[in-house]
Amino acid sequence: MTTAIPFARPLYVMLKPAGSRCNMACTYCYYKEKGRLDGVTAQPQLGDDLLETFIQQYIEAQTMPQVLFTWHGGEPLLRPLSFYRRALELQHRYAHGRQIDNCLQTNGTLLTDEWCAFLRENNFLVGLSIDGPQPLHDEYRRTQGGQPTWQQTLRGIRLLQKHGVEWNAMAVVNARNATQGSTFYQFFKDLGCQYLQFTPVVERATQRADGLTLAPGMSAWADNAEAACSATTVWSVTPEQWGNFLCTVYDEWVREDVGRVFVQLFDATLANWAGEPPGICSLSPTCGHAAVMEWNGDVYACDHFVYPEYRLGNIREQPLTTLLYGERQQRFGQRKRDSLPRECRECRYLFACHGECPKNRFVRDHYGESGLNYLCAGYRTFFDHVATDMAFMKNELDHGRAPANIMAYKAL
């Protein structure tokens, strides 16, 4: 018999076992400069005592029987296999009957047969970052010495496939590859990728007293989209590029890959059309349930808001339950909905994007209100493009049929 847990929902904390350290130096990386916040010049890494404290608190903070650990970076494979073996021992010790799962985000360049055998044996889900074919990937994803990384990344993918490790492709959509949507998508199909996530890179250069050079979101920063475009970093995708990219990839996908290749953003869009939870925070009405913990125990509201003003505290001083269920984090999560500008509140597609990620909401709307998403015009283009198809697939779901029937419909 299934036991219902009132008010249960998953709570996620992305753990940074090596802090912001990485063996690569991607041009667009939003996290590499976060090492400046701790003021430590030596190589930071999560110690055994803090690892145990986190694992115990994280499991105990969950209100559901499944617990997902997410190992992130920087590059988490800078920690040795012995670190993760110890983590599994601690997870087993504190599980108390709960199902424990692990996922790990990596650039793939440090993978070996030994690593992949361990990941397969322990059922890790691997998110692997790759930005498409070699010229597109190597444009921004390079070593600290400026060398290309595509060959090493592809080698890592082949090792995952060799050992039967479950993996997802994580692609950053930037000013370079956004114009190559068809080539981009075909590359992942040829690679044998069945699960694809892509994220638009939007960053704004600034100068802060704490030394950080990238600005957080949710601020009245630019008077209009044109001003925002002129001041974002050169590698940031523009709203027009983002909309055209989504439409191009969608047209490739909907013809023959629905139900065969799972594109996270398309699945989440359909879920919102059908009135179901989208499964990703960026397209949800509120956020705040996915925090991040740095190597020293500092907890921040979100991976994209690792700034002093969004630091919730440290688990050595306050337990995770206090930090993550506390009023401050709840306000952060609700602010996504409560701060929507008038243009968003009047938009016919509000149900589909809910203002998207707060980190990208820094433009004023046409009423002069702050908080419009920089990528709004791109999302409108995409939603206009797919609205009829989404309505068709929703109807199929409503009648117990497969959304993949859209492919036969489109072929008529």
Side-chain angles (χ1 to χ4, degrees), residues 15-19 21-23 43-51 71-87 104 110 115 118 294-296:
L15 185 59
K16 309 280 188 174
R21 284 196 298 132
C22 188
N23 62 316
Q43 293 186 346
Q45 59 184 28
L46 184 69
D48 186 76
D49 59 333
L50 193 57
L51 174 66
W71 308 92
H72 210 268
E75 174 49 58
L77 294 192
L78 289 176
R79 301 305 307 273
L81 269 171
S82 58
F83 172 84
Y84 292 97
R85 291 192 176 102
R86 173 62 173 162
L104 184 144
L110 299 178
W115 264 111
F118 168 84
E294 264 289 357
W295 66 275
N296 61 0

Side-chain angles (χ1 to χ4, degrees), residues 388-399:
T388 300
D389 289 356
M390 290 294 163
F392 177 93
M393 289 188 281
K394 175 187 182 302
N395 185 66
E396 294 300 284
L397 286 169
D398 289 344
H399 290 85

Side-chain angles (χ1 to χ4, degrees), residues 142-379:
R142 292 184 169 260
T143 67
Q144 295 188 21
Q147 299 303 308
T149 62
W150 188 84
Q151 291 288 355
Q152 298 98 305
T153 300
L154 190 64
R155 175 181 171 277
I157 291 174
R158 296 309 184 199
L159 283 171
L160 292 174
Q161 293 172 327
K162 171 185 172 182
H163 288 270
V165 179
E166 186 177 357
W167 68 283
N168 297 347
M170 313 279 282
V172 171
V173 180
N174 52 65
R176 177 71 171 86
N177 62 15
T179 62
Q180 304 291 324
S182 181
T183 300
F184 171 93
Y185 183 64
Q186 188 60 49
F187 166 79
F188 286 101
K189 287 182 63 176
D190 293 344
L191 198 59
C193 175
Q194 291 184 288
Y195 300 91
L196 176 58
Q197 301 178 38
F198 39 76
T199 302
V201 60
V202 176
E203 298 293 354
R204 298 165 293 146
T206 187
Q207 290 294 328
R208 291 168 51 99
D210 54 24
L212 299 183
T213 63
L214 298 176
M218 292 199 293
S219 60
W221 181 81
D223 290 334
N224 52 56
E226 289 75 21
C229 284
S230 66
T232 51
T233 58
V234 295
W235 53 84
S236 294
V237 66
T238 68
E240 181 181 13
Q241 286 176 331
W242 179 236
N244 291 339
F245 172 85
L246 291 179
C247 292
T248 300
V249 175
Y250 175 84
D251 287 345
E252 297 283 340
W253 173 80
V254 78
R255 281 199 295 267
E256 56 185 31
D257 294 327
V258 182
R260 300 169 187 166
V261 177
F262 298 90
V263 180
Q264 185 189 54
L265 184 59
F266 300 161
D267 291 344
T269 298
L270 177 57
N272 274 340
W273 234 271
E276 298 293 333
I280 56 175
C281 54
S282 62
L283 299 189
S284 299
T286 61
C287 56
H289 70 283
V292 59
M293 193 184 92
E294 264 289 357
W295 66 275
N296 61 0
D298 283 345
V299 178
Y300 293 85
C302 169
D303 189 45
H304 289 287
F305 286 83
V306 178
Y307 294 87
E309 57 266 42
Y310 295 101
R311 180 181 177 274
L312 301 175
N314 190 289
I315 66 168
R316 295 186 188 275
E317 301 162 358
Q318 293 176 289
L320 277 174
T321 50
T322 299
L323 298 175
L324 300 182
Y325 290 114
E327 181 180 354
R328 188 176 175 192
Q329 181 69 345
Q330 298 309 304
R331 285 200 309 269
F332 174 84
Q334 292 296 323
R335 187 181 175 190
K336 179 181 180 182
R337 178 174 59 196
D338 296 345
S339 64
L340 286 169
R342 180 178 174 183
E343 187 175 336
C344 283
R345 299 195 303 271
E346 295 176 351
C347 180
R348 64 184 180 276
Y349 295 127
L350 176 60
F351 74 93
C353 82
H354 299 286
E356 208 245 5
C357 182
K359 90 175 194 66
N360 297 329
R361 285 170 52 181
F362 53 84
V363 180
R364 292 188 183 275
D365 69 4
H366 60 243
Y367 295 107
E369 295 186 12
S370 63
L372 183 70
N373 197 292
Y374 165 79
L375 296 172
C376 175
Y379 277 107

